[in-house]
Amino acid sequence: MGKSSKDKRDAYYRLAKEQGWRARSAFKLLQLDEEFDLFANVTRVVDLCAAPGSWSQVLSRVLIKGEKFGRSAWQDRDAKFRQQMLGLFGPQVPASQLEPVELKKSPVELNPSKDVKIVAIDLQPISPLPGIVTLRADITHPATVPLLLKALDAEYDAKSNSQQAAHPVDLVLSDGAPDVTGLHDLDIYVQSQLLFAALNLALCVLKPGGKFVAKIFRGKNVDVLYAQLKLFFEKVHVAKPRSSRASSVEAFIVCLNFQPPKGFSASLEEPLGVGFRLSNMMEQNLKSLPLTGDTILQNSETGAWDSTPISIQSADEHGITEVQLEDIRAKNQGDIRWIAPFIACGDLSAFDSDASYRLPADHVSLDPVQPPTAPPYKRAIEMRKAFGGAYGKTGRQ
Ligand code: SAM
């Protein structure tokens, strides 16, 4: 997060620097927690694609230091601070009436915990954070699983390459994003590969009842993904925090209450998202749906599966017979869809990430909290310098 004219338009970007977060993404996690109470009863967490580390900072401050955020904290503790920030960005309070405020000091009573384990992984190095184990690794690479399990102090049966470890993790987060190319379909495809890599890791380490939160790009087939996730989690939501720009296709899937299907064991040999394992599981799941009683059979206009629960008294009443089920399967060719509930989260009076806010005349742009450790553009800048600047040694303007 560097200094730039973004300061002028993005309240969260500026607020992150004011509050000491390494990236504006911190607010996304805080707003997701506000909605889903993600950190309740959580002590062991894996933070995938974690650099520069603002989500890990949130984890460290909430779980290790015991700081409180979320809606109640905003209302009680930070009402004054919030009012001041609104004054800083908006017309509500003249800057001259603002009282000085210690931005980084938390006035809440802390309740530090010693039993917390947080492991953060990224391709990029992550500058150290108190209480967090950081790993530099590729989450799409199979060798990352044993690294992670070792970091979690879990047993790993290297010989059979199976995850015999106790499933020790309460929450797996993934904010993974590839370098966006601007080619919409390609970006969505690469993002979905990252998501499956994160899911495979999560399935190896999550304990039953655990939670999985991951960034997605909403493309046209995202409801196939929701249906797949429903195999493993009781509840699947898609959430858009207020700090995530409305103009962006980014959203987060929030999967609660991990319930692996009977007989399922995560395997590196057969990762989900590659081959047919997942679609076979979907088929099996579909076959096991009862044809009578409370079920979710719905194929009204699109031929797709819908989340709307329909209580059917008998198969005949809706004309759904085993034969027609086969037809539906054939028609969808395994593309079973499910529409996840969409939830916008973050206080509606919080800053709008797409809005511009007026800055006071004496506004000073702050330095980034954590300069990038190894930004991908570093080499490009070095090469440009060596070449004699943006226009090269030709002097072309
Ligand atoms: N949650 C982070 C935070 O709060 O600071 C921001 C994450 S940033 C949006 C996306 C990260 O995904 C980048 O740091 C990138 O290096 C990482 N990433 C992308 N592909 C990855 C991969 N295959 N393995 C590990 N990390 C990856």
Side-chain angles (χ1 to χ4, degrees):
M1 191 165 61
K3 264 196 249 187
S4 86
S5 59
K6 273 197 245 169
D7 251 22
K8 297 197 180 76
R9 53 186 162 86
D10 187 343
Y12 288 101
Y13 176 82
R14 179 168 160 73
L15 204 54
K17 293 198 285 187
E18 303 281 354
Q19 293 188 354
W21 303 113
R22 291 182 177 185
R24 64 191 292 294
S25 326
F27 296 105
K28 299 176 191 169
L29 184 58
L30 288 169
Q31 291 172 348
L32 288 167
D33 172 50
E34 231 173 81
E35 185 66 39
F36 296 99
D37 211 6
L38 290 178
F39 305 139
N41 306 318
V42 162
T43 54
R44 295 172 74 81
V45 189
V46 175
D47 182 11
L48 300 172
C49 302
S54 76
W55 282 23
S56 290
Q57 274 184 299
V58 170
L59 294 169
S60 165
R61 288 178 64 173
V62 174
L63 300 178
I64 300 175
K65 291 192 191 159
E67 286 187 49
K68 286 194 173 54
F69 293 91
R71 188 165 298 178
S72 56
W74 267 120
Q75 280 164 1
D76 304 343
R77 175 166 69 89
D78 289 338
K80 185 171 152 205
F81 164 73
R82 188 174 166 71
Q83 178 67 8
Q84 294 204 4
M85 289 314 288
L86 282 170
L88 200 58
F89 288 115
Q92 290 86 343
V93 180
S96 57
Q97 286 176 20
L98 294 177
E99 293 168 31
V101 68
E102 183 78 53
L103 292 174
K104 287 179 190 165
K105 191 173 147 199
S106 169
V108 283
E109 205 176 299
L110 301 182
N111 181 20
S113 169
K114 290 194 181 74
D115 301 325
V116 172
K117 184 91 191 184
I118 301 166
V119 180
I121 303 183
D122 201 285
L123 281 174
Q124 305 294 334
I126 304 169
S127 294
L129 278 165
I132 310 244
V133 178
T134 56
L135 299 175
R136 188 173 184 184
D138 181 347
I139 67 158
T140 63
H141 199 286
T144 302
V145 180
L147 269 183
L148 171 61
L149 293 178
K150 199 169 163 208
L152 286 165
D153 300 324
E155 288 167 27
Y156 177 70
D157 184 352
K159 271 189 205 149
S160 69
N161 212 20
S162 68
Q163 277 61 59
Q164 296 304 322
H167 295 67
V169 171
D170 304 296
L171 172 65
V172 174
L173 303 171
S174 173
D175 191 21
D179 287 337
V180 176
T181 64
L183 299 171
H184 190 64
D185 287 350
L186 179 64
D187 290 338
I188 286 178
Y189 173 76
V190 178
Q191 175 68 24
S192 73
Q193 293 311 300
L194 267 187
L195 176 80
F196 275 115
L199 178 65
N200 280 309
L201 280 176
L203 295 176
C204 290
V205 297
L206 268 184
K207 63 164 74 154
K211 307 166 195 175
F212 175 60
V213 176
K215 180 174 3 229
I216 53 164
F217 286 173
R218 281 168 301 155
K220 60 178 185 282
N221 284 328
V222 75
D223 37 4
V224 175
L225 172 71
Y226 300 151
Q228 291 167 337
L229 290 166
K230 274 291 277 179
L231 283 175
F232 301 97
F233 296 90
E234 185 202 355
K235 290 188 177 153
V236 176
H237 293 102
V238 54
K240 181 82 175 171
R242 192 149 163 79
S243 48
S244 169
R245 292 188 188 94
S247 50
S248 146
V249 287
E250 168 191 272
F252 294 86
I253 38 144
V254 179
C255 306
L256 306 174
N257 198 6
F258 175 50
Q259 293 177 337
K262 218 173 158 201
F264 173 82
S265 73
S267 160
L268 292 184
E269 309 281 302
E270 280 189 283
L272 301 179
V274 179
F276 297 102
R277 189 172 183 208
L278 200 47
S279 48
N280 289 343
M281 285 176 70
M282 294 298 292
E283 279 288 292
Q284 284 307 319
N285 193 47
L286 189 58
K287 275 183 193 150
S288 67
L289 279 176
L291 288 177
T292 57
D294 287 345
T295 184
I296 54 159
L297 299 177
Q298 167 75 18
N299 192 308
S300 50
E301 287 168 20
T302 59
W305 292 89
D306 192 318
S307 63
T308 318
I310 298 176
S311 180
I312 56 171
Q313 301 308 314
S314 73
D316 289 340
E317 186 190 329
H318 285 260
I320 297 170
T321 63
E322 187 56 40
V323 175
Q324 280 170 309
L325 253 182
E326 292 290 352
D327 289 348
I328 293 166
R329 272 183 227 135
K331 193 169 162 192
N332 284 320
Q333 293 175 333
D335 258 8
I336 296 153
R337 288 153 192 272
W338 186 76
I339 299 166
F342 182 90
I343 294 178
C345 56
D347 188 347
L348 278 184
S349 64
F351 299 112
D352 177 348
S353 44
D354 285 294
S356 296
Y357 291 89
R358 178 181 60 79
L359 285 169
D362 57 354
H363 162 72
V364 178
S365 180
L366 297 176
D367 281 328
V369 173
Q370 175 62 57
T373 39
Y377 51 81
K378 196 172 160 194
R379 174 101 181 101
I381 293 174
E382 282 166 5
M383 286 172 72
R384 195 169 71 182
K385 271 192 194 146
F387 191 62
Y391 298 103
K393 289 178 178 148
T394 59
R396 188 163 57 85
Q397 292 294 314

